[in-house]
Amino acid sequence: MMGTAAACRLFGSNPSTARSHLLARAHLNGVRRLLDDLASTRKRLDKAKQARVLVPFCELDGVPSVLFTLRSAHMRSHAGQVSFPGGLAEAGEGIAATALREAEEEVGLSNMLNMQPEILGAYHDATDYTQTKAVTPVLAWLGPVDLAKGTLSPDEVAEVFVRPLAELLDPASRSHQVFENHRGRFPRFDVGEHPIWGLTAYLLAGILDGVIGPA
């Protein structure tokens, strides 16, 4: 959970004013500074497979939001689940390059934007239920998005959508669930039509609590 000191670095002396400043330039600059500070100490997992996902912050109709995909029902794993765009790294490929390439392949990201994505930095690695894959979340600011201009890869993505950041930060939107054969409780977000759970919810909760700040 983000501590008071970190929240104050982002929002000044009164973290309760954060909601009105979500994804404003000062907020984005603060997120970048926190991730820069984290760069040398963030958790890196040594796994056989290295994957990266783009955690895309954006605006839709002026509302600060987060962009997600709904995986195709034909996928061999995690079919029909909410996810961030992403996939396995290619040889010699940088962290951000993988995340951006996969987002372009999955949803035609560049078609939705009127600016180049602004990479804010990487957060702690996590692993999936197989424990064989390291997943690095790469935070980015996309600016305003036009979802209708996206070009989805039908084999991978059934839908691209956004959820307002303020709703995701609202404690009433978050609960926890327990999975058989897994220890502990895992976060879940119920905002809109598609529930967000599993690894995507785990990454999202960590980033909202550790970087983006309180509602």
Side-chain angles (χ1 to χ4, degrees):
M1 180 70 70
M2 173 182 258
T4 301
C8 288
R9 287 203 300 274
L10 287 182
F11 308 118
S13 60
N14 184 6
S16 66
T17 65
R19 184 182 294 272
S20 64
H21 295 89
L22 290 175
L23 303 185
R25 176 45 54 187
H27 186 194
L28 292 171
N29 289 343
V31 169
R32 182 190 292 278
R33 287 195 300 271
L34 287 177
L35 293 174
D36 284 347
D37 291 344
L38 185 68
S40 62
T41 59
R42 73 175 183 85
K43 184 165 80 172
R44 293 170 168 83
L45 297 178
D46 183 16
K47 298 290 184 181
K49 298 178 180 179
Q50 295 288 319
R52 287 84 190 244
V53 297
L54 192 70
V55 183
F57 295 93
C58 61
E59 282 188 1
L60 183 65
D61 298 328
V63 178
S65 302
V66 183
L67 183 145
F68 300 93
T69 65
L70 184 68
R71 290 171 64 88
S72 168
H74 307 297
M75 296 291 287
R76 286 185 296 177
S77 62
H78 309 293
Q81 294 183 20
V82 173
S83 67
F84 293 120
L88 293 175
E90 296 181 351
E93 193 172 43
I95 292 174
T98 301
L100 291 171
R101 173 181 55 77
E102 287 286 341
E104 188 65 27
E105 292 174 1
E106 291 181 15
V107 301
L109 184 66
S110 61
N111 297 328
M112 303 181 192
L113 310 181
N114 58 20
M115 60 174 276
Q116 290 293 319
E118 178 183 346
I119 299 300
L120 302 173
Y123 197 57
H124 297 295
D125 286 2
T127 189
D128 66 352
Y129 70 96
T130 68
Q131 301 289 306
T132 62
K133 183 189 301 178
V135 180
T136 305
V138 179
L139 282 64
W141 167 240
L142 306 182
V145 296
D146 185 345
L147 299 182
K149 293 183 177 179
T151 52
L152 308 188
S153 171
D155 291 335
E156 297 180 273
V157 178
E159 182 182 344
V160 60
F161 62 95
V162 304
R163 290 292 174 259
L165 180 55
E167 293 184 16
L168 293 169
L169 285 165
D170 186 348
S173 299
R174 192 187 303 192
S175 60
H176 291 86
Q177 59 188 134
V178 177
F179 296 101
E180 187 177 356
N181 299 325
H182 290 273
R183 294 181 179 179
R185 301 190 307 161
F186 295 85
R188 173 189 172 103
F189 294 82
D190 287 286
V191 178
E193 180 181 357
H194 307 298
I196 304 168
W197 58 282
L199 180 60
T200 301
Y202 179 82
L203 292 173
L204 179 63
I207 290 166
L208 294 183
D209 294 346
V211 180
I212 299 302

